[in-house]
Amino acid sequence: MKIESLQNQYVKQWTKLHEKKERDKTGLFLVEGEHLITEALRADIVQKILYTGENPFNFPDCIEVTEPVMKKISQNVSGAKCIAVCIQKERTAEDPKRVILLDDVQDPGNFGTIIRTARSFGFEVIYTSKKTCDLYNEKVIRSTQGALFTMPVIRCDLAEKIRELKTESFRVIGTALKDAVPMSRIGDADKMAFLFGNEGQGVHQELLDACDQRLFIEIGNFESLNVAVATGIVMYRYRG
Amino acid sequence: MKIESLQNQYVKQWTKLHEKKERDKTGLFLVEGEHLITEALRADIVQKILYTGENPFNFPDCIEVTEPVMKKISQNVSGAKCIAVCIQKERTAEDPKRVILLDDVQDPGNFGTIIRTARSFGFEVIYTSKKTCDLYNEKVIRSTQGALFTMPVIRCDLAEKIRELKTESFRVIGTALKDAVPMSRIGDADKMAFLFGNEGQGVHQELLDACDQRLFIEIGNFESLNVAVATGIVMYRYRG
């Protein structure tokens, strides 16, 4: 069976997954392109694969669609040859030692890049505030390079999470430009959690106040860093 | 005088600056938004400022335009209140000690972020291959947060530049995943240059071969880093 009609009910359903509301309701999301779908298959979250032309995958539930149908379902301007409908799986981290907390990070590229970097440096879980950018946004997925399929990324109340981490003997470190200790003077601990903030506003004051310590990355006066870069520098330094 | 017509010849000229070809021809480029324009004024590269509504700037050559005219000239989806026409200024670095070389970096966000990070960590000049993303692309400018207005970013033949840097006693270090030394085992030198590559392909082999040494950032197997993050980690470590 090849789907040829733009009016096909499945095509309409899948296209709706561009919207966060629909993703939340169905627990599904879209993944585009061969490389990312291969990673999704490895993580065992693929429900079905849509393709046009050759089918590069050996997967039971593959559906051929025409190019116009593919174009309609794709969110990628330059077009995709294959798209997977994937299942949002909640993941948890068992006894993590290295944790990232994100307070209202807004840019999908930054958010995705932070998830990718966390995977590379042995960070085991990312907790995000409720206002942090949606995890299943297409740009987030692309920027993670697939790391999001296996990394636990959990939306929660950060103030509560900080309290919890402290009772579990984590050293919770907030990043800030003022009243903070240079990173080179902060040693390692067995369990560490690092809190990063919004691109414009940084970390909320009440969350910073709840941390054990404040860290700043040694930069020139009047300068600043992109949050994905700052997170990368800190994660490299304290890699698990 | 307030410009109201979308057919106004200046409006047409400024709108053309969206295209690289036109920017190259005129030596001009556009900067949007109050924060970035303030930085451009500080760097003394502003030719004129267009605004709609209140004019926040005290600058001799300001022109009021209507909202539709502003919308036409703006490249920002959410719209700008002010846009500056700026002059491309070639900058040089005098006796630099910390240099970045970029081999075909394609993503404007990555390129801009690298320029911003270089400024923050005391890197003094960035040399780019001819195929690297255009410097005056709107997304590059936004990602630099203004750092591009004062940082020398010079397009050149990288093979030639590497030879030149070596004769000037630079230690030239290429970044690579294979046949490379972990960063933690590479000490500081007086003059250092670091070479980073394209998002998908990395650094061209012949350029890597021309380097004094190869560095890799210690990540898990099968993992990788975004190039702006990798550059940030290396620049922090060897900051000037």
Side-chain angles (χ1 to χ4, degrees), chain B residues 91-93 96 98-104 111 124-130 132 152-158 161-162 164-165 168 170 193-196:
Chain B
R91 297 178 187 279
T92 50
R98 290 289 181 274
V99 169
I100 292 292
L101 305 161
L102 299 180
D103 181 22
D104 297 359
F111 188 27
E124 296 139 299
V125 55
I126 298 175
Y127 295 105
T128 73
S129 64
K130 285 170 183 165
T132 295
V153 182
I154 299 163
R155 201 168 281 258
C156 62
D157 181 312
L158 284 188
K161 182 53 68 181
I162 291 172
E164 197 183 305
L165 287 167
E168 290 166 3
F170 271 85
F194 298 92
L195 169 62
F196 293 86

Side-chain angles (χ1 to χ4, degrees), chain A residues 113 116-117 119-121 145 147 183-184 199 217-220 223-229 232-233 236 239, chain B residues 113 116-117 119-121 145 147 183-184 199 217-220 223-229 232-233 236 239:
Chain A
T113 301
R116 176 181 179 187
T117 312
R119 155 76 61 235
S120 291
F121 290 132
Q145 292 277 311
M183 186 165 81
S184 54
E199 286 82 355
I217 296 168
E218 299 87 337
I219 49 174
E223 306 298 345
S224 68
L225 293 171
N226 164 284
V227 66
V229 171
I233 291 169
Y236 173 74
R239 61 194 180 276
Chain B
T113 300
R116 176 181 179 187
T117 311
R119 156 75 60 235
S120 291
F121 290 132
Q145 291 279 310
M183 185 166 82
S184 54
E199 286 82 354
I217 296 169
E218 299 87 333
I219 50 175
E223 306 298 344
S224 69
L225 293 171
N226 164 284
V227 66
V229 171
I233 291 169
Y236 173 75
R239 61 193 180 277

Side-chain angles (χ1 to χ4, degrees), chain A residues 28-46:
Chain A
L28 300 173
F29 66 106
L30 300 177
V31 169
E32 303 198 12
E34 204 172 323
H35 166 67
L36 279 177
I37 295 177
T38 304
E39 296 295 318
L41 285 168
R42 199 169 290 157
D44 197 20
I45 56 166
V46 177

Side-chain angles (χ1 to χ4, degrees), chain A residues 6 32 38 49 68 86 94 109 112 127 153 160 175 178 193 195 202 236:
Chain A
L6 294 173
E32 303 198 12
T38 304
I49 293 174
C86 295
E94 262 179 59
Y127 295 105
V153 182
E160 219 166 87
T175 53
K178 280 192 301 186
L195 169 61
Y236 173 74

